[in-house]
Amino acid sequence: MKHFISASQLSVEEIQELLQTAEQHRQHDVHIAKKVFAANLFFEPSTRTLMSFIIAQRKLGIEVLDFNPQSSSVQKGESLYDTAKTFESLGADLLIIRHSSDHWVDEFNSSISVPIINAGAGTLDHPTQCMIDLDTIYQEFGSFKGLNVVIVGDIRHSRVAHSDAVALQKLGANVYLSAAPGFEDPTLDLPYISIDEAVEMCDVVMLLRIQHERHNEYTDPMLNYHQCYGLTTERERRMKKDAIIMHPGPVNRNVEIASSLVECERSRIFKQMANGVHVRSAIMVTLLKEWGIIDENSIV
Ligand code: CP
């Protein structure tokens, strides 16, 4: 694994190893007995991803370099690439990057000599969220093969949908999509089903918010979106006995999901967030080891 930049580049074996490492980090705190610097370069807002990286970094003993594009030389016109090169030359050992461009990772592949983790690329890829979702499903079902998973919502503009669909298919799950007109994505060759079909046949109902910030033109909030396309309390009652509800967050209550379901018994939404810390810890340690920045002796 050169950089951790795309769910599509992860092999089944790499996913399985990361899930095992995440489980170890969940069971026991891991500490790196060596000075390692990480820079979190977030050019888009984030609560879960940024904070879970920071908590994981502090638990591991990694020195976190503060960066805020609003108070950095980005304001003087410095590009993402030059910002990353600057952190590399200053001595950062690991870069965590989120940016609104779908393709920012392309210019980094061979030109940066420290590991990079993609913490979100436009509408295209969110591989660490994907690993969290896989971890949460694996904890629940112990396997992916034959599991019916539906991803519901603004598929076209969701980087989580793109990453999760590709990884879940690779692992043998039956992946379905469900979307309001205009939110379908023609690049994903997967069957579409209605939310009413989805709740009755799926083991995992994964909801997404409407990504208004990624729509090219203003879209009116859809009238009756919740009733027509969302997970209502009536639809939840028709879900399979052991089926679970997931959502990468942030949630728009009473739009894609009824507010009372966000914390219901079937919901794994806050569990996904908790899993974020261990999964991101596992990804960072795996990458630092593969790059030879740390070794087994550095871990206590
Ligand atoms: N799921 C997710 O990426 O959330 P944040 O945007 O808050 O990081």
Side-chain angles (χ1 to χ4, degrees):
M1 205 182 299
K2 183 161 166 44
H3 299 294
F4 191 85
I5 53 172
S6 174
S8 62
Q9 289 177 0
L10 292 172
S11 67
V12 170
E13 292 70 33
E14 283 172 326
I15 292 172
Q16 285 167 341
E17 276 173 34
L18 280 172
L19 293 178
Q20 278 171 16
T21 310
E23 185 55 39
Q24 288 162 9
H25 287 219
R26 188 164 24 240
Q27 301 293 336
H28 308 284
D29 276 349
V30 174
H31 190 83
I32 300 172
K34 182 184 174 184
K35 207 169 256 315
V36 171
F37 291 99
N40 300 321
L41 310 181
F42 277 60
F43 289 74
E44 273 195 330
S46 170
T47 300
R48 277 147 290 275
T49 310
L50 178 57
M51 290 304 141
S52 58
F53 264 115
I54 291 176
I55 290 174
Q57 288 157 346
R58 290 190 179 160
K59 281 182 162 211
L60 289 167
I62 291 176
E63 300 273 351
V64 184
L65 301 171
D66 274 340
F67 171 79
N68 178 349
Q70 301 308 323
S71 57
S72 76
S73 286
V74 170
Q75 296 304 317
K76 302 172 200 162
E78 193 160 44
S79 67
L80 166 61
Y81 178 79
D82 285 337
T83 303
K85 282 300 279 185
T86 301
F87 274 96
E88 177 195 23
S89 28
L90 291 173
D93 299 292
L94 177 64
L95 304 179
I96 322 292
I97 300 178
R98 170 175 285 197
H99 197 276
S100 59
S101 161
D102 282 4
H103 298 289
W104 65 259
V105 293
D106 297 350
E107 58 183 311
F108 283 77
N109 262 335
S110 55
S111 47
I112 295 266
S113 56
V114 291
I116 293 171
I117 297 177
N118 176 0
T123 63
L124 204 65
D125 228 322
H126 196 348
T128 67
Q129 180 67 48
C130 172
M131 282 306 308
I132 291 165
D133 297 344
L134 298 180
D135 182 59
T136 307
I137 293 171
Y138 190 72
Q139 272 191 302
E140 196 72 33
F141 299 100
S143 168
F144 300 94
K145 282 216 164 39
L147 217 56
N148 289 337
V149 181
V150 64
I151 308 175
V152 187
D154 187 359
I155 308 290
R156 180 190 285 258
H157 301 100
S158 168
R159 52 193 174 208
V160 177
H162 294 124
S163 296
D164 284 18
V166 95
L168 283 162
Q169 275 183 290
K170 208 177 275 186
L171 292 162
N174 305 316
V175 184
Y176 301 91
L177 305 174
S178 183
F183 290 169
E184 305 98 335
D185 188 338
T187 67
L188 288 173
D189 185 19
L190 287 168
Y192 280 84
I193 56 176
S194 72
I195 180 74
D196 287 298
E197 288 172 278
V199 293
E200 292 184 0
M201 64 178 275
C202 289
D203 305 292
V204 177
V205 176
M206 189 184 294
L207 300 154
L208 305 169
R209 89 188 154 85
I210 302 173
Q211 311 252 320
H212 287 291
E213 73 276 24
R214 301 193 198 287
H215 296 188
N216 287 332
E217 58 224 43
Y218 175 75
T219 44
D220 273 325
M222 279 186 199
L223 276 179
N224 292 327
Y225 181 89
H226 181 60
Q227 282 305 324
C228 295
Y229 307 105
L231 187 63
T232 59
T233 51
E234 183 279 322
R235 289 191 177 113
E236 185 273 337
R237 283 195 287 274
R238 286 192 281 123
M239 285 176 68
K240 290 166 73 173
K241 182 171 156 288
D242 296 322
I244 61 168
I245 298 167
M246 294 176 63
H247 192 312
V251 171
N252 286 146
R253 288 175 184 246
N254 296 322
V255 181
E256 65 272 14
I257 180 170
S259 180
S260 64
L261 299 179
V262 174
E263 295 163 71
C264 75
E265 207 176 316
R266 303 181 181 279
S267 170
R268 298 295 178 270
I269 296 173
F270 289 96
K271 190 169 192 197
Q272 286 171 267
M273 294 180 205
N275 287 343
V277 175
H278 316 297
V279 167
R280 291 183 168 122
S281 178
I283 293 169
M284 287 190 284
V285 166
T286 301
L287 216 53
L288 288 168
K289 274 190 190 170
E290 286 187 10
W291 280 66
I293 295 165
I294 61 170
D295 57 27
E296 280 304 331
N297 296 327
S298 327
I299 296 180
V300 290

